[in-house]
């Protein structure tokens, strides 16, 4: 595999894909810390952990398949957009649930007494997790929306091939126009109803 085979559009797409993975790993690490402190008891803490794991698996394997297999179905815009929108919907739903359960946690973690250092650290981890779960949702949603907008724009320009292959190898170029003067079909030559083009009048 050589990165020279990827287009400029593809390199941008792969960079954004890598950024999504990094954001998800951060959310996963914070969710793991919060759950370890609570001994994996509260559902509001478990949802971000499970969803971060699922998102990491999906993003990692789609990236690997895109890099190693040319024209793999999940790398095409329609599948890529669909996966990102599905993930963003799950993040939105679970974030709304978890955030509503975290509302009683103090916003100012410094107000927790010094003798409760572990609780203060947990409080800060929860506040950071609250931010990153929403950052992950926004990143997934806007990536899907931008990809959809780009694909539709290319389609309207007549470049319908944007849907038939992976964006990582897509090069924006107009399709060659058919030249009717250079291509003469059998029907054109012999006539629409079997008459020859050399038929006497």
């Amino acid at each position: 595999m050589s990165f020279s085979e990827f287009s400029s559009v593809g390199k941008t797409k792969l960079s954004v894909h890598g950024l999504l993975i990094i954001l998800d790993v951060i959310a996963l690490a914070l969710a793991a810390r919060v759950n370890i402190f609570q001994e994996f008891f509260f559902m509001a803490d478990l949802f971000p952990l499970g969803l971060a794991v699922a998102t990491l698996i999906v993003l990692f394997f789609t990236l690997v398949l895109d890099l190693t297999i040319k024209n793999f179905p999940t790398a095409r815009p329609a599948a890529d957009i669909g996966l990102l929108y599905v993930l963003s919907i799950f993040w939105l739903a679970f974030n709304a649930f978890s955030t509503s359960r975290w509302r009683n946690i103090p916003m100012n973690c410094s107000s927790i007494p010094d003798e409760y250092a572990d609780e203060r650290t947990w409080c800060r981890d929860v506040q950071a997790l609250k931010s990153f779960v929403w950052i992950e949702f926004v990143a997934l949603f806007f990536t899907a929306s931008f990809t959809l907008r780009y694909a539709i724009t290319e389609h309207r320009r007549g470049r319908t091939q944007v849907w038939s292959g992976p964006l990582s190898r897509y090069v924006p170029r107009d399709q060659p126009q058919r030249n009717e003067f250079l291509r003469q079909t059998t029907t054109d030559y012999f006539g629409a109803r079997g008459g020859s083009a050399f038929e006497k009048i």
Side-chain angles (χ1 to χ4, degrees):
M1 179 192 67
S2 174
F3 281 97
S4 61
E5 67 185 69
F6 298 104
S7 64
S8 59
V9 174
K11 291 176 182 177
T12 301
K13 181 209 179 253
L14 295 176
S15 299
V16 172
H17 205 113
L19 177 61
L20 291 176
I21 291 177
I22 292 173
L23 292 174
D24 186 71
V25 169
I26 295 173
L28 175 60
L30 291 170
R33 287 171 58 91
V34 170
N35 277 278
I36 289 172
F37 182 83
Q38 295 287 6
E39 298 181 347
F40 299 89
F41 181 76
F42 291 103
M43 192 64 66
D45 301 335
L46 290 173
F47 274 153
L49 179 64
L51 190 54
V53 171
T55 301
L56 181 61
I57 293 173
V58 171
L59 293 178
F60 177 76
F61 278 103
T62 53
L63 178 61
V64 170
L65 291 172
D66 192 7
L67 291 173
T68 57
I69 303 177
K70 291 183 178 180
N71 203 16
F72 197 77
T74 57
R76 298 175 185 175
D80 190 35
I81 293 167
L83 283 173
L84 292 176
Y85 270 132
V86 169
L87 288 174
S88 63
I89 290 172
F90 276 110
W91 277 97
L92 176 63
F94 290 156
N95 289 353
F97 173 82
S98 296
T99 302
S100 66
R101 297 299 188 275
W102 290 332
R103 65 181 183 273
N104 295 324
I105 298 175
M107 290 293 295
N108 184 12
C109 298
S110 299
S111 62
I112 299 175
D114 293 337
E115 56 266 27
Y116 298 100
D118 291 340
E119 285 75 7
R120 180 183 292 181
T121 301
W122 164 79
C123 175
R124 289 172 177 167
D125 288 341
V126 173
Q127 298 300 339
L129 180 60
K130 285 171 64 177
S131 299
F132 268 96
V133 293
W134 286 108
I135 290 173
E136 182 72 13
F137 159 71
V138 171
L140 289 168
F141 181 81
F142 275 96
T143 300
S145 299
F146 180 81
T147 305
L148 177 61
R149 182 177 180 273
Y150 179 79
I152 291 176
T153 300
E154 290 297 293
H155 182 94
R156 288 176 176 174
R157 291 174 177 171
R159 302 166 184 168
T160 55
Q161 71 273 21
V162 68
W163 302 104
S164 59
L167 278 180
S168 58
R169 295 170 175 85
Y170 174 72
V171 178
R173 63 165 61 98
D174 295 330
Q175 291 182 339
Q177 299 296 319
R178 177 184 175 184
N179 192 331
E180 297 295 341
F181 294 99
L182 297 179
R183 181 178 179 183
Q184 188 177 38
T185 65
T186 303
T187 303
D188 294 333
Y189 186 78
F190 289 102
R193 297 185 179 179
S196 173
F198 298 98
E199 188 176 17
K200 294 182 180 179
I201 300 176

